[in-house]
């Protein structure tokens, strides 16, 4: 009985883990899609994004870079609620 209960608990934990990973992947995909729409990038690939970055001036590039840093910053290395770059 103990082994069966343990397997059930581990199975439920695995399902929750997969669901959290899928949720995060969907959020990031939605973010990238928003960036493509915001900057009018027709080609939905890293190459299309790179072409658009080459066309940007420094101010636009820094704004885009800040958005990516904010979205993809690691949450594990925080000091006083700030992310070190």
């Amino acid at each position: 009985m103990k082994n069966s209960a343990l397997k059930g608990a581990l199975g439920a934990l695995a399902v929750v883990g997969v669901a959290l990973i899928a949720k995060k992947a969907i959020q990031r995909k939605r973010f990238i899609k928003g960036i493509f729409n915001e900057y009018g990038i027709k080609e939905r690939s890293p190459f299309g994004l790179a072409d658009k970055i080459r066309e940007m001036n420094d101010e636009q590039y820094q704004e885009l870079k800040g958005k990516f840093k904010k979205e993809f910053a690691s949450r594990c290395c925080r000091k006083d609620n700030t992310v070190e770059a």
Side-chain angles (χ1 to χ4, degrees), residues 50-67:
D51 289 341
K52 185 64 175 181
I53 288 173
R54 284 189 207 104
E55 296 171 1
M56 291 179 172
N57 62 29
D58 193 45
E59 183 180 316
Q60 291 172 329
Y61 173 70
Q62 292 302 326
E63 178 186 341
L64 180 65
K65 186 176 165 184
K67 288 179 185 179

